[in-house]
Amino acid sequence: MHEITDQTHWHEPSGGKRAGFGKFGRPKTPYDLFMETEGIPICRDIGVSKVQNLPLAPWKRMGGRGTFIQLHGTEGKWGSYVVEVPGAGALTAEKHLYEEVFYVIEGRGSTEVWLEQDSKRHVFEWQAGSLFSIPVNAWHRIVNASSSPALLLGGTTAPNLMNLLNNVGAIFNCPYEFRDRFSGADDFYKPRDDIEPDPVRGLAMRRTNFIPDIVNCDLPLDNRRSPGYRRIEPFMTGNTFYLWIAQHENGRYSKAHAHTSAAVLICLSGKGYTYTWPERAGVTPWKDGKTELIKRVDYEPVGMVSAAPGGARWYHQHFGVSKNPLRLTAWFGPNSPGREPGPPGEMHTDYTAMDIPEGGTSIPYWMEDPFIRAEYEATLARNGAANRMESQFYDPAYKGALPKE
C-alpha cells in the first residue's frame, strides 16, 4: 500500500503472497468509542473482587460519578457500569433505545418512570438489594433519598444497539414510544411472586418489573448445579436482557459446566471463588498439567466474574467458602441460554444442565479433577466452615437425591 492524495491505494498481492496483514489489532467498536467519550474509567478484566472498590469519576451526562465495567468475553454482547447517585441528589433524567436493569448496591431512594406524552409517572422506592428494570425508551430519573451517596450496578444492551446503529443520536433521541413494554397501570412496578415455567427451558420464572430484595428473597428448588441449588429467572419489562438469581447451599459447590461467552456472575451474599478454563483443556486440567490455562477470581458482595472470558466454550465452577450460602445473580444481556442459533422447532438440549455422560457439558463430581475437592475441603477448614459435600455426591451412581439432614 502507499498513500495517494490522502487516500490509501490497495495493490493485489504478487508472487504467491496472501492479501492482508495477517495479524492486526482488534478495532474499537462504536460502543468502545462511546465509553471513551463519556470521560469515566473503563474496567476491563476477567472479574472484580468487589465493585465498591472501583475508581469513580464525575459523569457529566448522568449527573453522578461512575465507571464502566466490560469484563472479558462480554464485549459486544452487553455492557455494565457502576453509578453513584449524590447524597440527597438525583441522576439526570434520560431515555434510550437500549434495555437497562439496575441492582442497588448501597443506599435507598426512588425511581420515576414515564413516557413523553403521559402526565402520570410511575414512582417506586428501592433499597440495598433491590432489582428493577427500565422499559425501552422510557424516561427515568433515579433519586437518592439519603444524605449519603447511593451506589447502583447497571446492566444494558447498549453495546448491541450502538454497534448496530453506529449513531448515538438515534439511541438517545428516538421519539418512538414502546407502549407494548410500558403500562400506566398502578401495579406496573408492584412486586409479583407468582412462579411459572419459562417458555423455553421450563425453569422457574417470575414476571415482575421490581424485586425489593434479591439478597433475601425466596428461591425455588432447582438442583441442577449442586445439591440443594435454588434458582429463579425474573422476566422484566418485556426485556430480552436475561438474568437469574440463585443460591448454593453453604458447604457445597457447583459442578463445572461449559458454554460460550456472555454470562457474568455477580456475588450477592457469602464469599467464594470461581475457576474458569477453556473447554479444550479438558475436564481435569490440573491433573493434565494445563494449569496455565486456568483463571481464578475470588469475590465477595458485590464481586463479578466472567464465566467464559474467551472465545469458544469455557468450563466454569463456583465455590462458596463462607459459613453462609453463596447467593449469585448471573447477567447475560440478550444472550439467553437455549436460544442459540438454529432452525425453529429443532430439538435442543439444555446442555449446561446435563452431565457429560448424558450428552451435556456439566462435569459430574466423580469425573472432576481431584484437585477441586481437595482444595475446597482445605479452604472450608481454614474458614471454619462445615463441608457438606457428602461422599455419595462423588459416586458415579449418584442421581441427585438430597441427603436427609
Side-chain angles (χ1 to χ4, degrees), residues 332-349:
F332 292 70
N335 305 281
S336 171
R339 294 186 181 272
E340 289 87 353
E346 180 182 56
M347 189 57 63
H348 189 61
T349 301

Side-chain angles (χ1 to χ4, degrees), residues 120 122 182-190 192:
K120 178 181 178 179
H122 287 293
F182 184 92
S183 169
D186 292 338
D187 63 352
F188 187 69
Y189 277 105
K190 180 181 179 180
R192 290 181 170 85

Side-chain angles (χ1 to χ4, degrees), residues 313-330:
R313 299 198 304 198
W314 285 58
Y315 283 115
H316 38 280
Q317 193 162 12
H318 319 299
F319 304 83
V321 297
S322 60
K323 296 179 181 180
N324 300 318
L326 177 65
R327 180 165 291 209
L328 307 164
T329 178

